[in-house]
Coordinates of all heavy atoms in Angstrom, one line a residue:
M1 N 62.4 42.3 -88.9 CA 61.5 41.6 -87.9 C 62.4 41.3 -86.8 O 63.4 40.6 -86.8 CB 61.0 40.3 -88.6 CG 60.2 39.4 -87.6 SD 59.3 38.2 -88.5 CE 60.4 36.7 -88.4
S2 N 62.0 41.6 -85.6 CA 62.9 41.3 -84.4 C 62.2 40.3 -83.6 O 61.0 40.3 -83.4 CB 63.2 42.6 -83.6 OG 62.0 42.9 -82.7
L3 N 62.9 39.3 -83.1 CA 62.3 38.2 -82.3 C 62.5 38.6 -80.9 O 63.5 39.1 -80.4 CB 63.1 36.9 -82.6 CG 62.9 36.4 -84.1 CD1 63.8 35.1 -84.2 CD2 61.5 36.0 -84.3
Q4 N 61.6 38.2 -80.1 CA 61.6 38.4 -78.7 C 62.5 37.4 -78.1 O 62.5 36.2 -78.5 CB 60.2 38.3 -78.0 CG 59.2 39.2 -78.3 CD 59.6 40.6 -77.6 OE1 60.2 40.7 -76.7 NE2 59.0 41.7 -78.3
P5 N 63.3 37.6 -77.2 CA 64.2 36.7 -76.6 C 63.4 35.6 -75.8 O 62.5 35.9 -75.1 CB 65.2 37.5 -75.5 CG 64.5 38.8 -75.6 CD 63.5 39.0 -76.6
K6 N 63.8 34.3 -76.0 CA 63.1 33.2 -75.3 C 64.1 32.6 -74.2 O 65.3 32.6 -74.5 CB 62.7 32.2 -76.4 CG 61.9 32.6 -77.5 CD 60.5 32.9 -77.1 CE 59.6 33.3 -78.3 NZ 58.7 34.3 -78.0
T7 N 63.5 32.2 -73.3 CA 64.3 31.4 -72.2 C 64.2 30.0 -72.6 O 63.2 29.2 -72.5 CB 63.6 31.5 -70.8 OG1 63.5 32.9 -70.5 CG2 64.4 30.9 -69.9
L8 N 65.4 29.4 -73.0 CA 65.5 28.0 -73.5 C 65.9 27.1 -72.3 O 67.0 27.4 -71.7 CB 66.3 27.8 -74.7 CG 65.9 28.6 -75.9 CD1 67.0 28.4 -77.1 CD2 64.6 28.2 -76.3
L9 N 65.2 26.1 -72.0 CA 65.7 25.2 -70.8 C 65.9 23.8 -71.2 O 65.1 23.3 -72.1 CB 64.6 25.4 -69.8 CG 64.3 26.7 -69.2 CD1 63.0 26.7 -68.3 CD2 65.6 27.2 -68.4
T10 N 66.7 23.0 -70.8 CA 66.8 21.6 -70.8 C 65.6 21.0 -70.0 O 65.1 21.8 -69.1 CB 68.1 21.0 -70.4 OG1 68.3 21.3 -69.2 CG2 69.2 21.5 -71.3
A11 N 65.4 19.7 -70.1 CA 64.4 19.1 -69.2 C 64.9 19.0 -67.7 O 64.1 19.3 -67.0 CB 64.3 17.6 -69.6
K12 N 66.1 18.9 -67.6 CA 66.8 19.0 -66.3 C 66.4 20.3 -65.5 O 66.1 20.5 -64.4 CB 68.1 18.6 -66.2 CG 68.8 18.5 -64.8 CD 70.1 18.0 -64.9 CE 70.7 17.8 -63.5 NZ 72.2 17.3 -63.7
E13 N 66.6 21.4 -66.4 CA 66.5 22.8 -65.8 C 64.9 23.1 -65.6 O 64.5 23.8 -64.7 CB 67.1 23.8 -66.8 CG 68.6 23.7 -66.8 CD 69.1 24.5 -68.1 OE1 68.4 24.6 -69.1 OE2 70.2 24.9 -67.9
L14 N 64.1 22.6 -66.5 CA 62.7 22.8 -66.4 C 62.0 22.1 -65.4 O 61.1 22.6 -64.7 CB 62.0 22.4 -67.9 CG 60.5 22.4 -67.9 CD1 60.1 23.9 -67.8 CD2 60.1 21.8 -69.2
S15 N 62.5 20.9 -65.0 CA 62.0 20.0 -64.0 C 61.6 20.7 -62.7 O 60.4 20.5 -62.3 CB 63.0 18.8 -63.7 OG 62.6 18.0 -62.7
P16 N 62.6 21.4 -62.0 CA 62.2 22.1 -60.8 C 61.1 23.1 -60.8 O 60.3 23.5 -59.9 CB 63.5 22.7 -60.1 CG 64.4 22.6 -61.2 CD 63.9 21.6 -62.2
L17 N 60.9 23.7 -62.1 CA 59.9 24.9 -62.3 C 58.6 24.3 -62.4 O 57.6 25.0 -62.1 CB 60.3 25.6 -63.6 CG 61.7 26.4 -63.6 CD1 62.0 27.0 -64.9 CD2 61.7 27.4 -62.4
I18 N 58.4 23.0 -63.0 CA 57.0 22.6 -63.2 C 56.8 21.3 -62.2 O 55.8 20.7 -62.3 CB 56.6 22.3 -64.6 CG1 57.7 21.1 -65.1 CG2 56.8 23.4 -65.4 CD1 57.2 20.5 -66.6
K19 N 57.9 20.9 -61.4 CA 57.8 19.9 -60.5 C 57.4 18.5 -61.1 O 56.6 17.7 -60.7 CB 56.7 20.2 -59.4 CG 56.7 21.5 -58.8 CD 57.9 21.7 -57.9 CE 57.8 23.0 -57.0 NZ 58.7 24.0 -57.5
F20 N 58.1 18.1 -62.2 CA 58.0 16.9 -62.8 C 59.5 16.5 -63.1 O 60.4 17.2 -63.4 CB 57.4 16.9 -64.2 CG 55.8 17.1 -64.1 CD1 55.1 18.3 -64.3 CD2 55.1 15.9 -63.8 CE1 53.8 18.2 -64.3 CE2 53.7 16.0 -63.7 CZ 53.1 17.2 -63.9
N21 N 59.7 15.1 -63.0 CA 61.0 14.5 -63.3 C 61.4 14.8 -64.7 O 60.5 14.7 -65.6 CB 60.9 13.0 -62.9 CG 62.1 12.3 -63.1 OD1 62.8 12.2 -64.1 ND2 62.6 11.7 -62.0
P22 N 62.7 15.1 -64.9 CA 63.1 15.1 -66.4 C 62.7 14.1 -67.3 O 62.4 14.3 -68.4 CB 64.5 15.5 -66.3 CG 65.0 15.8 -64.8 CD 63.9 15.2 -64.1
D23 N 62.8 12.9 -66.8 CA 62.5 11.7 -67.6 C 61.1 11.7 -68.0 O 60.6 11.3 -69.2 CB 62.9 10.4 -67.1 CG 64.4 10.3 -66.8 OD1 65.1 10.8 -67.7 OD2 64.9 9.6 -65.8
Y24 N 60.2 12.1 -67.0 CA 58.7 12.2 -67.2 C 58.4 13.2 -68.2 O 57.6 13.1 -69.1 CB 58.0 12.4 -66.0 CG 56.5 12.5 -66.0 CD1 55.8 11.3 -66.1 CD2 55.8 13.6 -66.3 CE1 54.4 11.1 -66.1 CE2 54.5 13.6 -66.4 CZ 53.8 12.3 -66.4 OH 52.3 12.3 -66.5
I25 N 59.1 14.4 -68.2 CA 58.9 15.5 -69.2 C 59.3 15.0 -70.5 O 58.4 15.2 -71.5 CB 59.8 16.6 -68.8 CG1 59.3 17.4 -67.4 CG2 59.9 17.6 -70.0 CD1 60.3 18.3 -67.0
N26 N 60.3 14.4 -70.8 CA 60.8 13.9 -72.1 C 59.9 12.7 -72.6 O 59.8 12.5 -73.8 CB 62.2 13.5 -72.1 CG 63.2 14.8 -72.0 OD1 62.8 15.8 -72.6 ND2 64.3 14.6 -71.4
S27 N 59.5 11.8 -71.7 CA 58.8 10.7 -72.1 C 57.3 10.8 -72.2 O 56.6 10.2 -73.1 CB 59.2 9.4 -71.3 OG 58.5 9.5 -70.0
K28 N 56.7 11.5 -71.4 CA 55.2 11.6 -71.2 C 54.7 12.9 -71.8 O 53.6 12.9 -72.3 CB 54.7 11.4 -69.8 CG 55.1 10.1 -69.2 CD 54.4 8.9 -69.9 CE 54.7 7.6 -69.3 NZ 54.2 6.4 -69.8
L29 N 55.3 14.0 -71.5 CA 54.7 15.3 -71.7 C 55.1 15.7 -73.1 O 54.4 16.4 -73.8 CB 55.2 16.4 -70.8 CG 54.7 16.2 -69.3 CD1 55.4 17.2 -68.3 CD2 53.3 16.1 -69.2
K30 N 56.3 15.4 -73.6 CA 56.9 15.9 -74.8 C 56.0 15.2 -76.0 O 55.8 13.9 -75.9 CB 58.3 15.4 -75.0 CG 58.9 16.0 -76.4 CD 60.4 15.7 -76.5 CE 60.6 14.4 -76.7 NZ 60.3 13.7 -77.9
D31 N 55.4 15.8 -76.9 CA 54.7 15.4 -78.0 C 53.3 15.0 -77.6 O 52.5 14.6 -78.5 CB 55.3 14.3 -78.8 CG 56.6 14.7 -79.4 OD1 56.6 15.9 -79.8 OD2 57.4 13.9 -79.6
K32 N 52.9 15.1 -76.4 CA 51.5 14.9 -75.8 C 50.9 16.2 -75.4 O 49.8 16.6 -75.6 CB 51.4 13.7 -74.8 CG 51.9 12.4 -75.4 CD 51.8 11.3 -74.4 CE 52.3 10.0 -74.9 NZ 53.8 9.9 -75.2
V33 N 51.8 16.9 -74.5 CA 51.4 18.2 -74.0 C 52.2 19.3 -74.6 O 51.7 20.3 -74.9 CB 51.5 18.1 -72.5 CG1 51.3 19.5 -71.8 CG2 50.6 17.0 -71.8
F34 N 53.6 19.0 -74.7 CA 54.4 20.0 -75.3 C 54.7 19.6 -76.6 O 55.0 18.4 -76.9 CB 55.7 20.0 -74.5 CG 55.5 20.3 -73.0 CD1 56.4 19.8 -72.1 CD2 54.5 21.2 -72.5 CE1 56.2 20.2 -70.8 CE2 54.4 21.6 -71.2 CZ 55.2 21.1 -70.3
F35 N 54.6 20.5 -77.6 CA 54.8 20.2 -79.1 C 55.8 21.0 -79.6 O 56.2 22.2 -79.3 CB 53.4 20.5 -79.8 CG 52.2 19.8 -79.3 CD1 51.3 20.2 -78.4 CD2 52.0 18.4 -79.6 CE1 50.3 19.6 -77.9 CE2 51.1 17.6 -79.1 CZ 50.2 18.2 -78.5
E36 N 56.6 20.2 -80.6 CA 57.9 20.8 -81.2 C 57.4 22.1 -82.0 O 56.3 22.1 -82.7 CB 58.4 19.8 -82.1 CG 59.8 20.3 -82.7 CD 60.5 19.2 -83.4 OE1 60.0 18.0 -83.5 OE2 61.7 19.4 -83.9
G37 N 58.2 23.2 -81.9 CA 57.9 24.3 -82.6 C 57.0 25.3 -81.8 O 57.0 26.5 -82.1
V38 N 56.4 24.9 -80.8 CA 55.6 25.6 -79.9 C 56.2 25.6 -78.6 O 56.6 26.7 -78.1 CB 54.2 25.1 -79.8 CG1 53.3 26.0 -78.8 CG2 53.6 25.1 -81.1
H39 N 56.4 24.5 -77.9 CA 56.8 24.4 -76.5 C 58.2 24.1 -76.5 O 59.0 24.1 -75.4 CB 56.0 23.3 -75.8 CG 54.5 23.7 -75.7 ND1 53.7 23.1 -76.4 CD2 53.9 24.7 -75.0 CE1 52.5 23.6 -76.3 NE2 52.5 24.5 -75.3
Y40 N 58.8 23.4 -77.5 CA 60.3 23.1 -77.6 C 60.7 23.0 -79.0 O 60.0 23.1 -80.0 CB 60.5 21.6 -76.9 CG 60.1 20.5 -77.7 CD1 60.8 19.8 -78.7 CD2 58.7 20.0 -77.7 CE1 60.4 18.7 -79.3 CE2 58.3 18.8 -78.3 CZ 59.2 18.3 -79.2 OH 58.8 17.1 -79.9
I41 N 62.0 23.2 -79.1 CA 62.8 23.2 -80.3 C 63.9 22.3 -80.3 O 64.4 21.9 -79.2 CB 63.2 24.6 -80.7 CG1 64.3 25.2 -79.6 CG2 62.1 25.6 -80.7 CD1 65.0 26.4 -80.1
R42 N 64.3 21.9 -81.5 CA 65.5 21.1 -81.7 C 66.5 21.9 -82.6 O 66.3 21.9 -83.9 CB 65.3 19.8 -82.4 CG 64.5 18.8 -81.6 CD 64.1 17.5 -82.4 NE 63.1 16.7 -81.9 CZ 63.4 15.6 -81.2 NH1 64.7 15.3 -81.0 NH2 62.6 14.9 -80.6
P43 N 67.3 22.7 -81.9 CA 68.1 23.6 -82.8 C 69.1 22.9 -83.7 O 69.6 21.8 -83.5 CB 69.0 24.5 -81.7 CG 69.0 23.7 -80.5 CD 67.8 22.7 -80.6
F44 N 69.1 23.4 -84.9 CA 70.0 22.8 -86.0 C 69.7 21.4 -86.4 O 70.6 20.8 -86.8 CB 71.5 23.1 -85.7 CG 71.7 24.5 -85.1 CD1 72.1 24.8 -83.8 CD2 71.7 25.6 -86.0 CE1 72.3 26.1 -83.4 CE2 71.8 27.0 -85.5 CZ 72.2 27.1 -84.3
G45 N 68.5 21.0 -86.1 CA 68.3 19.7 -86.4 C 68.9 18.6 -85.5 O 68.9 17.5 -85.9
S46 N 69.3 19.0 -84.4 CA 70.1 18.0 -83.4 C 69.1 17.3 -82.6 O 68.0 17.5 -82.6 CB 71.0 19.0 -82.4 OG 70.3 19.7 -81.6
R47 N 69.8 16.4 -81.8 CA 69.0 15.6 -80.9 C 68.6 16.3 -79.6 O 67.7 15.9 -78.8 CB 69.7 14.4 -80.5 CG 69.8 13.3 -81.7 CD 70.6 12.0 -81.4 NE 70.1 11.4 -80.4 CZ 70.6 10.4 -79.5 NH1 71.9 10.3 -79.7 NH2 70.0 9.9 -78.5
K48 N 69.4 17.3 -79.3 CA 69.2 18.2 -78.1 C 67.8 18.8 -78.1 O 67.4 19.4 -79.2 CB 70.2 19.1 -78.0 CG 70.2 20.0 -76.8 CD 71.1 19.2 -75.7 CE 71.2 20.1 -74.5 NZ 71.7 19.3 -73.4
I49 N 67.2 18.8 -77.0 CA 65.9 19.5 -76.9 C 65.9 20.7 -75.9 O 66.5 20.5 -74.9 CB 64.7 18.4 -76.5 CG1 64.6 17.5 -77.6 CG2 63.5 19.2 -76.2 CD1 63.7 16.3 -77.2
F50 N 65.4 21.8 -76.4 CA 65.3 23.0 -75.6 C 63.8 23.3 -75.4 O 63.1 23.6 -76.4 CB 66.0 24.1 -76.1 CG 67.7 24.0 -76.0 CD1 68.3 23.9 -77.1 CD2 68.2 24.0 -74.7 CE1 69.7 23.7 -77.0 CE2 69.6 23.8 -74.6 CZ 70.3 23.7 -75.7
Y51 N 63.3 23.5 -74.2 CA 62.0 23.8 -73.8 C 61.9 25.3 -73.8 O 62.7 26.0 -73.2 CB 61.4 23.2 -72.6 CG 61.4 21.6 -72.8 CD1 62.4 20.7 -72.4 CD2 60.2 21.1 -73.3 CE1 62.2 19.4 -72.7 CE2 60.0 19.7 -73.5 CZ 61.1 18.9 -73.3 OH 61.1 17.6 -73.4
V52 N 60.9 26.0 -74.2 CA 60.7 27.4 -74.3 C 59.9 27.7 -73.1 O 58.6 27.5 -73.2 CB 60.0 27.8 -75.6 CG1 59.7 29.3 -75.7 CG2 60.7 27.5 -76.9
W53 N 60.3 28.2 -72.1 CA 59.8 28.5 -70.8 C 58.5 29.4 -71.0 O 57.4 29.1 -70.4 CB 60.6 29.1 -69.8 CG 60.0 29.6 -68.6 CD1 59.9 31.0 -68.2 CD2 59.3 28.7 -67.7 NE1 59.2 30.9 -67.1 CE2 58.7 29.6 -66.7 CE3 59.0 27.5 -67.6 CZ2 57.9 29.2 -65.7 CZ3 58.3 26.9 -66.6 CH2 57.8 27.7 -65.6
E54 N 58.6 30.4 -71.8 CA 57.4 31.3 -71.9 C 56.2 30.6 -72.5 O 55.1 30.9 -72.0 CB 57.8 32.5 -72.9 CG 58.7 33.5 -72.3 CD 60.2 33.0 -72.3 OE1 60.6 32.1 -72.9 OE2 61.0 33.8 -71.7
Q55 N 56.2 29.7 -73.4 CA 55.2 28.9 -74.0 C 54.8 27.8 -72.9 O 53.5 27.8 -72.8 CB 55.6 28.2 -75.3 CG 55.9 29.3 -76.4 CD 54.5 30.0 -76.7 OE1 54.6 31.1 -76.6 NE2 53.6 29.3 -77.2
I56 N 55.6 27.2 -72.2 CA 55.0 26.3 -71.3 C 54.4 27.0 -69.9 O 53.5 26.4 -69.5 CB 56.3 25.6 -70.7 CG1 56.9 24.6 -71.8 CG2 56.1 24.5 -69.5 CD1 58.2 23.9 -71.6
E57 N 55.0 28.1 -69.6 CA 54.3 28.9 -68.6 C 52.8 29.3 -69.0 O 51.9 29.2 -68.2 CB 55.2 30.1 -68.2 CG 54.5 30.9 -67.0 CD 55.6 32.0 -66.7 OE1 56.1 32.8 -67.6 OE2 55.7 32.3 -65.5
K58 N 52.7 29.6 -70.2 CA 51.4 30.0 -70.8 C 50.5 28.8 -70.6 O 49.3 29.0 -70.4 CB 51.5 30.7 -72.2 CG 50.3 31.2 -72.7 CD 50.5 31.6 -74.2 CE 51.6 32.6 -74.5 NZ 51.7 33.0 -75.8
E59 N 51.0 27.6 -71.1 CA 50.2 26.4 -71.1 C 49.9 26.0 -69.8 O 48.6 25.6 -69.5 CB 51.1 25.3 -71.8 CG 50.4 24.1 -72.0 CD 49.4 24.2 -73.2 OE1 49.6 24.9 -74.1 OE2 48.3 23.5 -73.1
L60 N 50.7 26.2 -68.8 CA 50.4 25.9 -67.3 C 49.2 26.7 -66.9 O 48.4 26.1 -66.0 CB 51.5 26.2 -66.5 CG 52.8 25.3 -66.5 CD1 54.0 25.8 -65.7 CD2 52.3 23.8 -66.2
Y61 N 49.0 27.9 -67.3 CA 47.9 28.6 -66.7 C 46.6 28.7 -67.5 O 45.7 29.3 -67.2 CB 48.3 30.1 -66.5 CG 49.3 30.1 -65.4 CD1 50.6 30.3 -65.7 CD2 48.9 30.0 -64.0 CE1 51.6 30.4 -64.6 CE2 49.8 30.0 -63.0 CZ 51.1 30.2 -63.3 OH 52.1 30.2 -62.3
Q62 N 46.6 27.8 -68.7 CA 45.3 27.7 -69.5 C 44.4 26.7 -68.7 O 44.7 25.7 -68.2 CB 45.7 26.9 -70.8 CG 46.6 27.7 -71.6 CD 45.8 29.1 -72.2 OE1 44.6 29.0 -72.5 NE2 46.5 30.2 -72.2
P63 N 43.1 27.1 -68.7 CA 42.3 26.2 -68.1 C 42.0 25.0 -68.9 O 42.0 25.0 -70.1 CB 40.8 27.0 -68.1 CG 41.0 28.1 -69.1 CD 42.5 28.4 -69.3
T64 N 41.8 23.8 -68.2 CA 41.6 22.7 -68.9 C 40.3 22.6 -69.5 O 39.3 23.3 -69.1 CB 41.9 21.4 -68.0 OG1 40.9 21.5 -66.9 CG2 43.3 21.4 -67.4
R65 N 40.0 21.7 -70.5 CA 38.9 21.6 -71.1 C 37.7 21.0 -70.0 O 36.5 21.2 -70.3 CB 38.8 20.6 -72.3 CG 39.3 19.3 -72.0 CD 39.5 18.5 -73.3 NE 40.1 17.1 -72.9 CZ 39.9 16.1 -73.6 NH1 39.2 16.0 -74.6 NH2 40.4 14.9 -73.3
Y66 N 38.1 20.3 -68.9 CA 37.2 19.8 -68.0 C 36.8 20.8 -67.0 O 35.9 20.7 -66.3 CB 37.8 18.6 -67.3 CG 38.3 17.4 -68.3 CD1 39.5 17.2 -68.4 CD2 37.2 16.9 -69.0 CE1 39.9 16.2 -69.3 CE2 37.5 16.0 -70.0 CZ 38.9 15.6 -70.0 OH 39.2 14.5 -71.0
Q67 N 37.5 22.0 -66.9 CA 37.2 22.9 -65.8 C 36.0 23.8 -66.1 O 35.3 24.2 -65.4 CB 38.4 24.0 -65.7 CG 39.5 23.5 -64.9 CD 40.6 24.4 -64.8 OE1 40.7 25.3 -65.6 NE2 41.6 24.3 -63.9
S68 N 35.6 23.6 -67.4 CA 34.2 24.3 -67.8 C 33.1 23.5 -67.5 O 31.9 24.0 -67.4 CB 34.3 24.8 -69.3 OG 34.3 23.5 -70.1
Q69 N 33.2 22.2 -67.3 CA 32.1 21.3 -66.8 C 31.7 21.5 -65.3 O 32.5 21.9 -64.5 CB 32.5 19.9 -67.0 CG 32.9 19.4 -68.4 CD 31.7 19.4 -69.3 OE1 30.7 19.1 -68.9 NE2 32.0 19.8 -70.6
K70 N 30.4 21.4 -65.1 CA 29.9 21.7 -63.8 C 30.0 20.5 -62.8 O 30.4 20.7 -61.7 CB 28.6 22.2 -63.8 CG 28.3 23.4 -64.5 CD 26.8 23.8 -64.4 CE 26.7 25.2 -65.1 NZ 25.4 25.7 -65.0
F71 N 29.9 19.3 -63.4 CA 29.9 18.2 -62.5 C 30.5 16.9 -63.3 O 30.1 16.5 -64.3 CB 28.6 17.9 -62.1 CG 28.5 16.7 -61.0 CD1 28.8 16.9 -59.8 CD2 28.0 15.4 -61.4 CE1 28.7 16.1 -58.7 CE2 27.9 14.4 -60.5 CZ 28.3 14.7 -59.0
I72 N 31.7 16.5 -62.7 CA 32.5 15.4 -63.4 C 32.8 14.3 -62.3 O 33.1 14.6 -61.2 CB 33.8 16.0 -64.0 CG1 33.6 17.0 -64.9 CG2 34.7 14.8 -64.4 CD1 34.7 17.7 -65.4
I73 N 32.5 13.1 -62.8 CA 32.9 11.9 -61.9 C 34.0 11.1 -62.5 O 33.9 10.7 -63.6 CB 31.6 11.0 -61.9 CG1 30.4 11.8 -61.4 CG2 31.9 9.8 -61.0 CD1 29.1 11.1 -61.5
P74 N 35.1 11.0 -61.7 CA 36.4 10.3 -62.3 C 35.9 8.9 -62.3 O 35.5 8.4 -61.3 CB 37.5 10.8 -61.4 CG 36.9 11.3 -60.1 CD 35.5 11.9 -60.5
M75 N 36.4 8.1 -63.2 CA 36.2 6.7 -63.4 C 37.4 5.9 -63.0 O 38.4 6.4 -63.1 CB 35.6 6.4 -64.7 CG 34.4 7.2 -65.3 SD 33.0 7.1 -64.2 CE 32.4 5.5 -64.7
A76 N 37.2 4.7 -62.6 CA 38.3 3.9 -62.2 C 39.5 3.7 -63.1 O 40.7 3.7 -62.8 CB 37.9 2.5 -61.7
K77 N 39.2 3.6 -64.5 CA 40.2 3.4 -65.5 C 40.6 4.6 -66.2 O 41.3 4.6 -67.3 CB 39.6 2.4 -66.5 CG 39.4 0.9 -66.0 CD 39.1 0.0 -67.0 CE 38.9 -1.3 -66.5 NZ 38.5 -2.3 -67.5
G78 N 40.4 5.8 -65.5 CA 41.0 7.0 -66.0 C 40.1 7.9 -66.7 O 40.3 9.0 -67.1
G79 N 38.8 7.3 -67.1 CA 37.9 8.1 -67.9 C 37.1 9.1 -66.9 O 37.3 9.2 -65.8
I80 N 36.2 9.8 -67.5 CA 35.3 10.6 -66.7 C 33.9 10.5 -67.1 O 33.6 10.1 -68.3 CB 35.8 12.1 -66.7 CG1 35.7 12.6 -68.2 CG2 37.2 12.4 -66.1 CD1 35.9 14.2 -68.3
C81 N 33.0 10.8 -66.1 CA 31.5 10.9 -66.4 C 31.0 12.3 -66.3 O 31.3 12.8 -65.1 CB 30.8 9.9 -65.6 SG 29.0 9.8 -65.7
H82 N 30.4 12.6 -67.2 CA 29.8 14.0 -67.2 C 28.4 14.0 -66.5 O 27.4 14.1 -67.3 CB 29.7 14.7 -68.5 CG 31.0 14.9 -69.3 ND1 32.0 15.8 -69.0 CD2 31.7 14.1 -70.1 CE1 33.1 15.7 -69.6 NE2 33.0 14.7 -70.3
G83 N 28.3 13.9 -65.1 CA 27.1 13.6 -64.4 C 26.3 14.7 -64.5 O 25.1 14.9 -64.6

């Protein structure tokens, strides 16, 4: 079984590619949008995190669940109304 080569990036290296601060990537996106084993790995059980660029790039171009809705009203506290 041959593995395809993956592009592994630190949060600092990923930051300019997706236009988010490295701290935001590690605190807000990790484990909410990016998941371990899919979008990032911890090699050898270490604390170091490497993000898998190919998986993140694929995620960036996925339509959101709200794009299929025809009419959406954003609410003041962050919710949405399916008008």
